Amino acid sequence: MLAQTAPAPTTASSSSESSAEEDTIILDPFTVTTEQEGYQAVDTLGGGRIRTRLVDTPSSLSVITKKLMADLGVTNAQNLLIYTNNTEVAGLGGNFSGTTSRGQGSTGEGALLSAPQNQTRARGIGALDNTRNYFLTDIPGDGYNISRVDISRGPNSFLFGFGSPSGIANVQTNEAIFKDEGSIEARYGSFGSTRESLDYNKVLIPSVAAIRLDLVNDDARYMQEPAYNHSKRAYGAVRIDPKLFDSDSTHTKITASFEHGDVKSNNP
């Protein structure tokens, strides 16, 4: 049989090697990959406070990437948790009623208006803790500034100093990165619902300073008139890596973020 002769190995030039090193983004032990292209994530902070490969994490843990959320049309925890493993959402739009075993209590609709992020359940036990970058929060998450969601089911959530025995639903917000990129999204839904969002990242000083801006205008409409839920939110993040303090063994990274939101509603 005839076969092709293997080509001789080539050696990359020093200029191409230096270029590859400049393009490589090195993450610190407390940062996970948030710019995945597909559904699969490779690392997490949910297993032991520092970045660990998911394959090496002995926990009941699911990571939902931004790509998967976009393809499902998911914009909040209530829409997401009806899809994920061993998690449920209370109320008429969820997958369990929220009533007690003896039929007492409400269906969760009243509580959903004031604290929608708390009307959830994992492993059939109770509400998941709602965290934002692993800090306990009462801010409902919105997909416009979310890079990934880590759902840690079970008592391993106590690794972070608190935690419901049912688990944690952690939202990772967008970080400023050293890459110029942006996206605009517009949606039109039932009964005249509209949603517009913007995500833009700008490098101010290469490998030193970057900013990120996220905006959303979400106007949800319903069959019952004049019911509506109009949400306007703005989020900004900044990252500075000052080279002044860097050495062979240390690296300084300063990050900050801010969000402002306004919600007006007349719910059905």
Side-chain angles (χ1 to χ4, degrees), residues 13-265:
S13 64
S14 59
S15 60
S16 62
E17 289 178 356
S18 61
S19 175
E21 291 178 358
E22 292 176 357
D23 295 337
T24 302
I25 299 175
I26 300 176
L27 300 178
D28 62 68
F30 307 102
T31 302
V32 294
T33 304
T34 59
E35 302 299 322
Q36 303 95 343
E37 294 297 328
Y39 294 169
Q40 184 178 11
V42 297
D43 51 13
T44 181
L45 299 179
R49 295 178 181 264
I50 62 173
R51 188 177 74 248
T52 308
R53 293 197 311 161
L54 278 170
V55 70
D56 298 327
T57 305
S59 303
S60 181
L61 198 148
S62 300
V63 179
I64 312 302
T65 64
K66 194 175 187 69
K67 172 66 173 174
L68 179 55
M69 293 180 64
D71 288 353
L72 291 176
V74 165
T75 58
N76 56 46
Q78 294 71 53
N79 294 337
L80 175 63
L81 294 177
I82 60 175
Y83 290 105
T84 51
N85 295 335
N86 221 345
T87 57
E88 299 167 291
V89 178
L92 300 178
N95 48 7
F96 83 104
S97 68
T99 60
T100 64
S101 59
R102 296 186 179 182
Q104 300 174 351
S106 69
T107 58
E109 290 302 305
L112 277 170
L113 299 181
S114 59
Q117 71 280 3
N118 294 331
Q119 305 309 304
T120 60
R121 186 171 72 179
R123 304 197 305 159
I125 297 176
L128 287 156
D129 280 324
N130 183 51
T131 63
R132 180 183 174 101
N133 301 323
Y134 291 104
F135 287 95
L136 196 63
T137 181
D138 58 359
I139 301 175
D142 190 289
Y144 85 103
N145 69 341
I146 293 176
S147 58
R148 57 185 274 163
V149 180
D150 293 69
I151 301 173
S152 176
R153 299 179 299 277
N156 51 299
S157 60
F158 288 110
L159 284 169
F160 296 91
F162 55 84
S164 164
S166 67
I168 281 177
N170 178 69
V171 166
Q172 188 82 25
T173 55
N174 291 338
E175 270 196 356
I177 59 175
F178 296 127
K179 180 181 179 183
D180 287 340
E181 63 180 14
S183 64
I184 299 175
E185 181 180 303
R187 300 185 188 185
Y188 181 82
S190 302
F191 315 113
S193 298
T194 58
R195 177 182 171 91
E196 303 87 31
S197 61
L198 166 72
D199 177 25
Y200 182 67
N201 189 89
K202 176 65 177 176
V203 179
L204 302 179
I205 304 175
S207 301
V208 175
I211 59 173
R212 190 163 187 165
L213 176 66
D214 294 315
L215 304 172
V216 68
N217 179 44
D218 190 342
D219 188 11
R221 300 286 171 165
Y222 306 93
M223 179 182 293
Q224 178 182 339
E225 296 181 355
Y228 67 93
N229 190 305
H230 191 189
S231 174
K232 295 186 291 184
R233 298 169 68 163
Y235 170 85
V238 61
R239 174 178 175 180
I240 302 175
D241 288 18
K243 304 301 182 182
L244 177 64
F245 307 107
D246 282 1
S247 66
D248 293 337
S249 59
T250 62
H251 176 75
T252 303
K253 173 184 174 184
I254 302 172
T255 62
S257 62
F258 175 82
E259 183 173 13
H260 174 76
D262 180 69
V263 180
K264 295 180 180 179
S265 64

